[in-house]
Amino acid sequence: MTEPDGATEPERAVPESRGVSRRGLLGLLGAGAAGAAAGFAGGAATAGVALTAGTHGGGSAGASVFPFYGAHQAGITTPAQDRLHFAVFDPDAGLDREGLIGLLTDWTAAAARLSQGLEVAEGGAVGGSDYAPPADTGEALGLPASGLTITFGFGPELFETADGGDPFGLAARRPSELVALPRFQGDALEPARTGGALCIQACADDPQVAVHAIRNLSRIAFGRATLRWSQLGFGRTSSTSTAQTTPRNLFGFKDGTANIKAEEPGVADEHVWVQPGDEPAWLADGSYLVARRIRMVIENWDRVQLGEQEQLVGRSKGEGAPLSGGTEFTEPDFEASGATGTPLIDPASHVRLAHPTMNGGARLLRRGYNFVDGNDALGRLDAGLFFLSFQRSPEQFVRVQTSLAADGLNEYLKHVGSAIFAVPGGVAEGEFVGQRLFD
Amino acid sequence: MTEPDGATEPERAVPESRGVSRRGLLGLLGAGAAGAAAGFAGGAATAGVALTAGTHGGGSAGASVFPFYGAHQAGITTPAQDRLHFAVFDPDAGLDREGLIGLLTDWTAAAARLSQGLEVAEGGAVGGSDYAPPADTGEALGLPASGLTITFGFGPELFETADGGDPFGLAARRPSELVALPRFQGDALEPARTGGALCIQACADDPQVAVHAIRNLSRIAFGRATLRWSQLGFGRTSSTSTAQTTPRNLFGFKDGTANIKAEEPGVADEHVWVQPGDEPAWLADGSYLVARRIRMVIENWDRVQLGEQEQLVGRSKGEGAPLSGGTEFTEPDFEASGATGTPLIDPASHVRLAHPTMNGGARLLRRGYNFVDGNDALGRLDAGLFFLSFQRSPEQFVRVQTSLAADGLNEYLKHVGSAIFAVPGGVAEGEFVGQRLFD
């Protein structure tokens, strides 16, 4: 995936041209299927960035298959899939360095298979012994890979436990920037949705496929690590490819118009990927992931007049154009003013405060999802944005979030969960994810 | 939708051949769009049952549009869409009969528009005054109708409040069968997920479209009715059309193989639709809806050996064939025994206990969804089946559920929520949903 000149290409989708699915592979399990899987995994990609429009068998969307192995982990610059299951784990008491390496090795093997549309292990849900639990939980049998990517990250607590312990001998290798995020204006963090030692981001175009991945990886961790918190997202709120349309968040506005796109490899190197000269060396080609559960008070927002909604955001609601004029992708002009001399884009608007020019050039690769988790006791939907961003340094996020302290939108949202992870670089065949951390 | 001989056709999908979407309509709002909407709503269906495989614009699945008006409400025999948002409301104190009629009238008008891919009202999210809140919350702008159906139901509490009141003058018109379900073996019902006076089932192939519908209908109810509980489902667990493949539940098994299908209108008349001679007359062409939130203890299930899993279900895990032999749609043979004389299908298996022959011929039209709502404090996924079934009489469900008291699967599940609703018949243009209840 890395060109000789160091430029990085976005992950590419392999059209599932042979109609391979978990069902199709049921009859093939064994050497043949292993060969087919290696064929996919080994970089058989030949097409350009493909969205998940491929269908096969008439009706089943999401036939894309993304390579698991590569210079970077998939699921970052990969064109954002439609659905998310995100899970955070804590190591169980008694897990030691070898145990952790074992877990990461098992997770890697499973993720490599799952992302190719295979069952989690040979033997699968129906191919093993009648007298053993099935290797795979089975609910994705017959479903295509659906663009599944599985991305792993390491939280601060992997390097130092809450009581100052270092069970994995990793304290000296901790990235100096991998610390809990500072408290921001308006934070109302719930401990049950905050922090954690290990994370797995599963994105797919079929939620059943994403859920299946997290469930099976959780199961593999049994006795070694325990799920601490998790979050489903039903709709992507950002594009990470110029080939994707910009989706809408639950404020009803297009979100992520100015996001970093896979088609800008130079930009990704500058803003997303930890570079070879950066510290620590083991994190090169990786990134930092920030996760924030942002509850939106949508019932109140829905009573705000259109003009004020647009003023708070700084863009029009329909087109998503900056209020300084043009269309969605026109660069906002923060100097433009109307007939009365008032700036067309309010100085306290979200688009201005989040803009790189206000944040020392900081840009984020956003990859968040809308969520609705039922409702609260007052009959308000428990809805909002599960914000995910990848950046070369956590400082980028801190700058933007600090700037947003003045954001008028804060009246309509509340950050209730927060976590940060170091996302190691990609995996080569025969390695486990994050292996360089342990070298 | 009703043929002269009384036979009922399934709802039909209208391919969105003109590529109409909320985005497309932004430029059309006004008389032209209203005309287009009426064209869809007026029964322009000409195709047979179509699944939601239609794509337009390259990549956007779910372009189906189902008629809102008809002899029956949509969302029952409609081919089950992929995603669900289900919501239950209680009337606010002070709502009277006229207020309730007003709410149902407003809900009907909104649902008729939303199901056709229109914004909830003219003016929409961006077409109204800058100085008023937008009529539509906007997050579905640009998305197609995505097969959205909106189905309304009336719970026992609409006819008699908890304190014996009758604020709507409906007590005398209450269906004698519309009472809270009896307590079943193993029930562990949570009050916050049980009961309610009004329900709305929103099904669509895009979860953002289903969420948008519930959100806007909740908003319309502000000051008149308040959301009591709600549930999202990410994956359908039943087919309601022979053209659909059978999906899998979170036990990893195909679910709903023997479900009532839209292509069996005689069966639907016998088992799903309240018939003209049934009591009460106002409910003719309607149905009864049972909703059960069934939590699955999937971590324990995943440790059960394959042979035992299959014995408990009575079907093979891969193919879904009855253990008496054949393929998925082979009728199970409960008399067949193996070499040792043991029945091939265990007498306590789910397939046998749920089978019509064990329940006086009772059949249900199942329309449930898989859910995962994060995890509990012990690190177990809060996962399971949000069971929905439609039947001509609640007695059908009671029989089957009573029979399932002996089901070995009960070790791995727990019913934590329950509700029942009378679902009125379909709506003609100019009527509001359930109007005959008030005549």
Side-chain angles (χ1 to χ4, degrees), chain B residues 352-417:
Chain B
R352 179 168 172 274
L353 295 174
H355 197 270
T357 56
M358 290 297 292
N359 297 290
R363 295 183 67 184
L364 315 176
L365 188 148
R366 297 184 46 189
R367 223 172 180 291
Y369 287 82
N370 295 326
F371 71 83
V372 174
D373 293 338
N375 53 280
D376 66 20
L378 297 177
R380 295 176 301 212
L381 289 175
D382 182 2
L385 169 65
F386 187 66
F387 174 98
L388 294 170
S389 72
F390 291 88
Q391 46 272 310
R392 182 174 169 185
S393 161
E395 176 63 17
Q396 294 161 247
F397 174 80
V398 171
R399 274 194 214 170
V400 174
Q401 187 60 23
T402 303
S403 171
L404 291 176
D407 187 350
L409 285 178
N410 289 342
E411 186 174 345
Y412 304 99
L413 50 82
K414 199 164 65 172
H415 288 238
V416 298

Coordinates of all heavy atoms in Angstrom, one line a residue, chain B residues 352-417:
Chain B
R352 N -40.7 -27.5 17.4 CA -41.9 -28.3 17.6 C -42.9 -27.5 18.5 O -44.1 -27.5 18.2 CB -41.6 -29.6 18.3 CG -42.8 -30.5 18.6 CD -42.4 -31.9 19.0 NE -43.6 -32.6 19.4 CZ -44.0 -32.6 20.7 NH1 -43.4 -31.9 21.6 NH2 -45.1 -33.3 21.0
L353 N -42.4 -26.9 19.6 CA -43.3 -26.3 20.5 C -44.0 -25.0 19.8 O -45.1 -24.7 20.2 CB -42.6 -25.8 21.7 CG -42.1 -27.0 22.6 CD1 -41.2 -26.5 23.7 CD2 -43.2 -27.8 23.1
A354 N -43.3 -24.4 18.9 CA -43.9 -23.3 18.2 C -44.8 -23.6 17.0 O -45.4 -22.8 16.4 CB -42.8 -22.3 17.8
H355 N -44.8 -24.9 16.7 CA -45.4 -25.3 15.4 C -46.9 -25.3 15.5 O -47.5 -25.6 16.6 CB -45.0 -26.8 15.1 CG -45.3 -27.1 13.6 ND1 -46.4 -27.7 13.2 CD2 -44.5 -27.0 12.5 CE1 -46.4 -27.9 11.9 NE2 -45.3 -27.5 11.4
P356 N -47.6 -24.9 14.5 CA -49.1 -24.8 14.6 C -49.8 -26.1 15.1 O -50.8 -26.0 15.8 CB -49.5 -24.5 13.1 CG -48.3 -23.8 12.5 CD -47.1 -24.4 13.2
T357 N -49.2 -27.2 14.7 CA -49.9 -28.5 15.1 C -49.8 -28.6 16.7 O -50.6 -29.4 17.2 CB -49.1 -29.7 14.5 OG1 -47.8 -29.6 14.9 CG2 -49.3 -29.7 13.0
M358 N -48.9 -27.9 17.3 CA -48.9 -28.0 18.8 C -49.7 -26.9 19.4 O -49.8 -26.8 20.7 CB -47.4 -27.8 19.3 CG -46.5 -29.0 18.9 SD -47.1 -30.5 19.8 CE -46.7 -30.0 21.5
N359 N -50.3 -26.0 18.6 CA -50.9 -24.8 19.2 C -52.3 -24.6 18.5 O -52.7 -23.5 18.3 CB -50.0 -23.6 18.9 CG -48.7 -23.7 19.7 OD1 -48.7 -23.6 20.9 ND2 -47.7 -24.0 19.0
G360 N -53.0 -25.7 18.3 CA -54.4 -25.6 17.8 C -54.4 -24.9 16.4 O -55.4 -24.2 16.1
G361 N -53.3 -25.0 15.7 CA -53.3 -24.3 14.4 C -52.9 -22.9 14.3 O -52.8 -22.3 13.3
A362 N -52.6 -22.3 15.5 CA -52.3 -20.9 15.6 C -51.0 -20.6 14.8 O -50.0 -21.3 15.0 CB -52.1 -20.5 17.1
R363 N -51.1 -19.6 14.0 CA -49.9 -19.1 13.3 C -49.8 -17.6 13.6 O -50.8 -16.9 13.8 CB -50.0 -19.3 11.8 CG -49.9 -20.8 11.4 CD -50.0 -21.0 9.9 NE -48.7 -20.5 9.3 CZ -48.5 -20.5 8.0 NH1 -49.5 -20.9 7.1 NH2 -47.4 -20.0 7.5
L364 N -48.5 -17.1 13.5 CA -48.3 -15.6 13.7 C -47.6 -15.1 12.5 O -46.8 -15.8 11.9 CB -47.4 -15.4 15.0 CG -47.7 -16.3 16.2 CD1 -46.6 -16.0 17.3 CD2 -49.1 -15.9 16.7
L365 N -47.8 -13.8 12.2 CA -47.0 -13.1 11.3 C -45.9 -12.4 12.1 O -46.1 -11.4 12.7 CB -47.7 -12.2 10.4 CG -46.9 -11.6 9.2 CD1 -47.8 -11.3 8.1 CD2 -46.2 -10.3 9.6
R366 N -44.7 -13.0 12.0 CA -43.6 -12.4 12.8 C -42.8 -11.4 12.0 O -42.6 -11.5 10.8 CB -42.6 -13.5 13.3 CG -43.3 -14.5 14.2 CD -42.4 -15.5 14.7 NE -41.1 -14.8 15.1 CZ -40.0 -15.5 15.4 NH1 -39.9 -16.8 15.4 NH2 -39.0 -14.8 15.8
R367 N -42.4 -10.3 12.7 CA -41.8 -9.2 12.0 C -40.7 -8.5 12.9 O -40.6 -7.3 13.0 CB -42.9 -8.2 11.6 CG -42.7 -7.6 10.2 CD -43.9 -6.8 9.8 NE -43.7 -6.3 8.5 CZ -42.8 -5.3 8.1 NH1 -42.1 -4.8 9.0 NH2 -42.7 -5.0 6.9
G368 N -40.0 -9.4 13.6 CA -39.1 -8.9 14.7 C -37.7 -8.5 14.1 O -37.4 -8.6 12.9
Y369 N -36.9 -7.9 15.0 CA -35.6 -7.4 14.7 C -34.6 -7.7 15.7 O -34.8 -7.7 16.9 CB -35.7 -5.8 14.5 CG -36.4 -5.4 13.3 CD1 -37.8 -5.4 13.2 CD2 -35.7 -5.1 12.1 CE1 -38.5 -5.1 12.1 CE2 -36.4 -4.8 10.9 CZ -37.8 -4.8 10.9 OH -38.4 -4.4 9.8
N370 N -33.4 -8.0 15.3 CA -32.2 -8.1 16.2 C -31.9 -6.7 16.8 O -32.0 -5.7 16.1 CB -31.0 -8.6 15.4 CG -31.1 -10.0 14.9 OD1 -31.8 -10.9 15.5 ND2 -30.6 -10.3 13.8
F371 N -31.5 -6.7 18.0 CA -31.0 -5.5 18.6 C -29.7 -5.7 19.4 O -29.5 -6.8 19.9 CB -32.1 -4.8 19.5 CG -32.3 -5.5 20.8 CD1 -31.5 -5.3 21.9 CD2 -33.4 -6.4 20.9 CE1 -31.8 -6.0 23.1 CE2 -33.6 -7.1 22.1 CZ -32.8 -6.9 23.2
V372 N -28.9 -4.7 19.5 CA -27.8 -4.7 20.5 C -27.8 -3.2 21.0 O -27.6 -2.3 20.2 CB -26.4 -5.0 19.8 CG1 -25.3 -4.8 20.9 CG2 -26.4 -6.4 19.3
D373 N -28.0 -3.1 22.3 CA -28.0 -1.7 22.9 C -26.9 -1.6 23.8 O -27.0 -1.6 25.1 CB -29.4 -1.5 23.7 CG -30.6 -1.5 22.7 OD1 -30.4 -1.2 21.5 OD2 -31.7 -1.7 23.2
G374 N -25.7 -1.6 23.3 CA -24.5 -1.4 24.1 C -24.3 -2.7 25.0 O -24.5 -3.8 24.5
N375 N -23.9 -2.6 26.2 CA -23.6 -3.7 27.0 C -24.0 -3.4 28.5 O -24.2 -2.3 28.8 CB -22.1 -4.0 27.0 CG -21.2 -2.9 27.3 OD1 -21.0 -2.0 26.4 ND2 -20.7 -2.8 28.5
D376 N -24.1 -4.5 29.3 CA -24.4 -4.2 30.7 C -23.1 -4.1 31.5 O -22.0 -4.1 30.9 CB -25.3 -5.4 31.2 CG -24.6 -6.7 31.2 OD1 -23.3 -6.8 31.2 OD2 -25.3 -7.7 31.3
A377 N -23.3 -3.9 32.8 CA -22.1 -3.6 33.6 C -21.1 -4.7 33.8 O -20.0 -4.6 34.2 CB -22.6 -3.1 35.0
L378 N -21.6 -5.9 33.4 CA -20.7 -7.1 33.5 C -20.0 -7.4 32.1 O -19.4 -8.4 32.0 CB -21.6 -8.3 33.9 CG -22.2 -8.3 35.2 CD1 -23.0 -9.5 35.5 CD2 -21.1 -8.1 36.3
G379 N -20.1 -6.5 31.2 CA -19.4 -6.6 29.9 C -20.1 -7.6 29.0 O -19.5 -8.0 28.0
R380 N -21.4 -7.8 29.2 CA -22.2 -8.7 28.3 C -23.0 -7.8 27.4 O -23.6 -6.8 27.8 CB -23.1 -9.6 29.1 CG -22.3 -10.7 29.9 CD -23.3 -11.5 30.7 NE -24.1 -10.7 31.6 CZ -24.5 -11.1 32.8 NH1 -24.2 -12.3 33.2 NH2 -25.2 -10.3 33.5
L381 N -23.0 -8.1 26.1 CA -23.8 -7.3 25.2 C -25.3 -7.3 25.6 O -25.8 -8.4 25.9 CB -23.6 -7.8 23.7 CG -22.2 -7.6 23.1 CD1 -22.2 -8.2 21.7 CD2 -21.9 -6.1 23.0
D382 N -25.9 -6.2 25.6 CA -27.3 -6.1 25.8 C -28.0 -6.3 24.5 O -28.3 -5.4 23.7 CB -27.7 -4.7 26.3 CG -29.2 -4.5 26.6 OD1 -29.9 -5.5 26.5 OD2 -29.6 -3.4 27.0
A383 N -28.1 -7.6 24.1 CA -28.5 -8.0 22.8 C -29.7 -9.0 22.8 O -29.9 -9.6 23.8 CB -27.3 -8.7 22.1
G384 N -30.3 -9.1 21.7 CA -31.4 -10.0 21.7 C -32.3 -9.8 20.5 O -31.9 -9.3 19.4
L385 N -33.6 -10.2 20.7 CA -34.6 -10.1 19.6 C -35.7 -9.2 20.1 O -36.3 -9.4 21.2 CB -35.1 -11.5 19.4 CG -36.4 -11.6 18.5 CD1 -36.1 -11.1 17.1 CD2 -36.9 -13.0 18.4
F386 N -36.0 -8.2 19.3 CA -37.2 -7.4 19.6 C -38.3 -8.0 18.7 O -38.4 -7.9 17.5 CB -37.0 -5.9 19.2 CG -38.2 -5.1 19.6 CD1 -38.5 -4.9 21.0 CD2 -39.0 -4.4 18.7 CE1 -39.6 -4.1 21.4 CE2 -40.1 -3.7 19.1 CZ -40.4 -3.5 20.4
F387 N -39.1 -8.9 19.4 CA -40.1 -9.7 18.8 C -41.3 -8.9 18.5 O -41.8 -8.2 19.4 CB -40.4 -10.9 19.7 CG -41.6 -11.7 19.3 CD1 -41.3 -13.0 18.6 CD2 -42.9 -11.4 19.5 CE1 -42.4 -13.8 18.2 CE2 -43.9 -12.2 19.1 CZ -43.7 -13.4 18.5
L388 N -41.8 -8.9 17.2 CA -43.0 -8.3 16.9 C -43.8 -9.3 16.1 O -43.3 -10.0 15.2 CB -42.8 -7.1 15.9 CG -42.0 -5.9 16.5 CD1 -41.6 -4.9 15.4 CD2 -42.9 -5.2 17.6
S389 N -45.1 -9.5 16.5 CA -45.9 -10.4 15.7 C -47.3 -9.8 15.5 O -47.8 -9.1 16.4 CB -46.1 -11.8 16.3 OG -46.8 -11.7 17.5
F390 N -47.9 -10.0 14.4 CA -49.2 -9.6 14.1 C -50.1 -10.8 14.0 O -49.7 -11.8 13.4 CB -49.3 -8.8 12.7 CG -48.6 -7.5 12.8 CD1 -47.2 -7.4 12.6 CD2 -49.2 -6.3 13.1 CE1 -46.5 -6.2 12.6 CE2 -48.6 -5.1 13.2 CZ -47.2 -5.0 12.9
Q391 N -51.3 -10.7 14.6 CA -52.2 -11.8 14.5 C -53.7 -11.3 14.6 O -53.9 -10.2 15.2 CB -51.9 -12.8 15.7 CG -51.7 -12.2 17.0 CD -50.2 -11.8 17.3 OE1 -49.3 -12.6 17.1 NE2 -50.0 -10.6 17.7
R392 N -54.6 -12.2 14.2 CA -56.0 -11.8 14.1 C -56.5 -11.7 15.6 O -57.4 -10.9 15.8 CB -56.7 -12.9 13.3 CG -58.2 -12.6 13.2 CD -58.8 -13.7 12.2 NE -60.2 -13.7 12.2 CZ -60.9 -14.6 11.5 NH1 -60.3 -15.6 10.8 NH2 -62.2 -14.6 11.5
S393 N -56.0 -12.5 16.5 CA -56.4 -12.5 17.9 C -55.2 -12.7 18.8 O -54.3 -13.5 18.5 CB -57.4 -13.6 18.1 OG -57.5 -13.9 19.5
P394 N -55.1 -11.9 19.9 CA -54.0 -12.1 20.8 C -53.9 -13.5 21.3 O -52.8 -14.0 21.7 CB -54.3 -11.1 21.9 CG -55.3 -10.2 21.4 CD -56.0 -10.9 20.3
E395 N -55.0 -14.3 21.3 CA -55.0 -15.6 21.7 C -54.0 -16.5 21.0 O -53.4 -17.4 21.5 CB -56.4 -16.2 21.6 CG -56.6 -17.7 21.9 CD -56.3 -18.0 23.4 OE1 -56.3 -17.0 24.2 OE2 -56.1 -19.1 23.7
Q396 N -53.8 -16.2 19.7 CA -52.8 -16.9 18.9 C -51.4 -16.8 19.6 O -50.7 -17.8 19.8 CB -52.7 -16.4 17.5 CG -54.0 -16.7 16.7 CD -54.1 -15.8 15.5 OE1 -55.0 -14.9 15.5 NE2 -53.3 -16.0 14.5
F397 N -51.0 -15.6 19.9 CA -49.7 -15.4 20.6 C -49.7 -16.1 21.9 O -48.7 -16.8 22.3 CB -49.4 -13.9 20.7 CG -48.1 -13.7 21.5 CD1 -46.9 -13.9 20.9 CD2 -48.2 -13.4 22.9 CE1 -45.7 -13.7 21.7 CE2 -47.0 -13.3 23.6 CZ -45.8 -13.4 23.0
V398 N -50.8 -16.0 22.7 CA -50.8 -16.5 24.0 C -50.6 -18.0 24.0 O -49.9 -18.6 24.8 CB -52.1 -16.2 24.8 CG1 -52.3 -16.9 26.1 CG2 -52.2 -14.7 25.0
R399 N -51.3 -18.7 23.0 CA -51.1 -20.1 22.9 C -49.7 -20.5 22.6 O -49.2 -21.4 23.2 CB -52.0 -20.6 21.7 CG -53.4 -20.9 22.0 CD -54.0 -21.7 20.9 NE -55.4 -21.3 20.7 CZ -56.2 -21.7 19.7 NH1 -55.7 -22.4 18.7 NH2 -57.4 -21.3 19.6
V400 N -49.1 -19.8 21.6 CA -47.7 -20.2 21.3 C -46.8 -19.9 22.4 O -45.9 -20.8 22.8 CB -47.3 -19.4 20.0 CG1 -45.8 -19.7 19.7 CG2 -48.2 -19.8 18.8
Q401 N -46.9 -18.8 23.1 CA -46.0 -18.4 24.1 C -46.2 -19.4 25.3 O -45.2 -19.7 26.0 CB -46.2 -17.0 24.5 CG -45.1 -16.4 25.5 CD -43.7 -16.5 25.0 OE1 -43.5 -16.6 23.8 NE2 -42.8 -16.6 25.9
T402 N -47.4 -19.8 25.6 CA -47.6 -20.7 26.7 C -47.0 -22.1 26.4 O -46.3 -22.7 27.2 CB -49.2 -20.9 26.9 OG1 -49.7 -19.6 27.1 CG2 -49.4 -21.8 28.0
S403 N -47.1 -22.5 25.1 CA -46.5 -23.7 24.7 C -45.0 -23.7 24.9 O -44.3 -24.6 25.3 CB -46.8 -24.0 23.3 OG -46.1 -25.1 22.7
L404 N -44.4 -22.5 24.6 CA -42.9 -22.3 24.7 C -42.4 -22.3 26.1 O -41.2 -22.2 26.3 CB -42.5 -21.0 24.0 CG -42.7 -21.0 22.5 CD1 -42.3 -19.7 21.9 CD2 -41.8 -22.1 21.8
A405 N -43.3 -22.4 27.1 CA -42.8 -22.5 28.5 C -41.8 -23.7 28.7 O -40.9 -23.7 29.5 CB -44.0 -22.7 29.5
A406 N -42.0 -24.7 27.9 CA -41.2 -25.9 27.9 C -39.9 -25.8 27.1 O -39.1 -26.8 27.0 CB -42.0 -27.2 27.6
D407 N -39.8 -24.7 26.4 CA -38.7 -24.6 25.4 C -37.3 -24.5 26.1 O -37.1 -23.7 27.0 CB -39.0 -23.3 24.6 CG -38.0 -23.1 23.4 OD1 -37.0 -23.8 23.3 OD2 -38.3 -22.2 22.6
G408 N -36.4 -25.4 25.7 CA -35.1 -25.4 26.3 C -34.3 -24.1 26.0 O -33.4 -23.8 26.7
L409 N -34.7 -23.4 25.0 CA -34.1 -22.1 24.7 C -34.2 -21.1 25.8 O -33.5 -20.1 25.9 CB -34.6 -21.5 23.4 CG -34.1 -22.1 22.0 CD1 -34.8 -21.4 20.9 CD2 -32.6 -22.0 21.9
N410 N -35.3 -21.3 26.6 CA -35.5 -20.3 27.7 C -34.3 -20.1 28.6 O -34.2 -19.1 29.3 CB -36.7 -20.8 28.5 CG -38.0 -20.6 27.7 OD1 -38.1 -19.9 26.7 ND2 -39.1 -21.3 28.2
E411 N -33.5 -21.1 28.7 CA -32.3 -21.0 29.5 C -31.4 -19.8 29.0 O -30.6 -19.3 29.7 CB -31.5 -22.3 29.5 CG -30.3 -22.3 30.4 CD -29.6 -23.7 30.5 OE1 -30.2 -24.7 30.0 OE2 -28.5 -23.7 31.0
Y412 N -31.6 -19.5 27.7 CA -30.7 -18.5 27.1 C -31.4 -17.2 26.7 O -30.9 -16.4 26.0 CB -30.0 -19.1 25.9 CG -29.3 -20.4 26.2 CD1 -29.9 -21.6 26.0 CD2 -28.1 -20.3 26.9 CE1 -29.2 -22.8 26.4 CE2 -27.4 -21.5 27.3 CZ -28.0 -22.7 27.0 OH -27.4 -23.9 27.4
L413 N -32.6 -17.0 27.3 CA -33.3 -15.8 27.0 C -34.2 -15.3 28.1 O -34.5 -16.1 29.0 CB -34.1 -15.9 25.7 CG -35.0 -17.1 25.4 CD1 -36.3 -16.8 26.1 CD2 -35.2 -17.3 24.0
K414 N -34.6 -14.1 28.1 CA -35.4 -13.5 29.1 C -36.3 -12.4 28.5 O -35.8 -11.6 27.7 CB -34.5 -12.9 30.1 CG -35.0 -12.6 31.5 CD -33.9 -12.4 32.5 CE -33.2 -11.1 32.3 NZ -32.2 -10.8 33.4
H415 N -37.6 -12.5 28.7 CA -38.5 -11.5 28.2 C -38.5 -10.3 29.1 O -38.9 -10.4 30.3 CB -39.9 -12.0 28.0 CG -40.0 -13.0 26.9 ND1 -40.9 -12.8 25.9 CD2 -39.4 -14.2 26.6 CE1 -40.8 -13.9 25.0 NE2 -39.9 -14.7 25.5
V416 N -38.0 -9.2 28.7 CA -37.9 -8.0 29.6 C -38.8 -6.9 29.3 O -38.9 -5.9 30.0 CB -36.4 -7.5 29.6 CG1 -35.5 -8.6 30.2 CG2 -36.0 -7.0 28.3
G417 N -39.5 -7.0 28.1 CA -40.5 -5.9 27.8 C -41.6 -6.6 27.1 O -41.5 -7.6 26.4

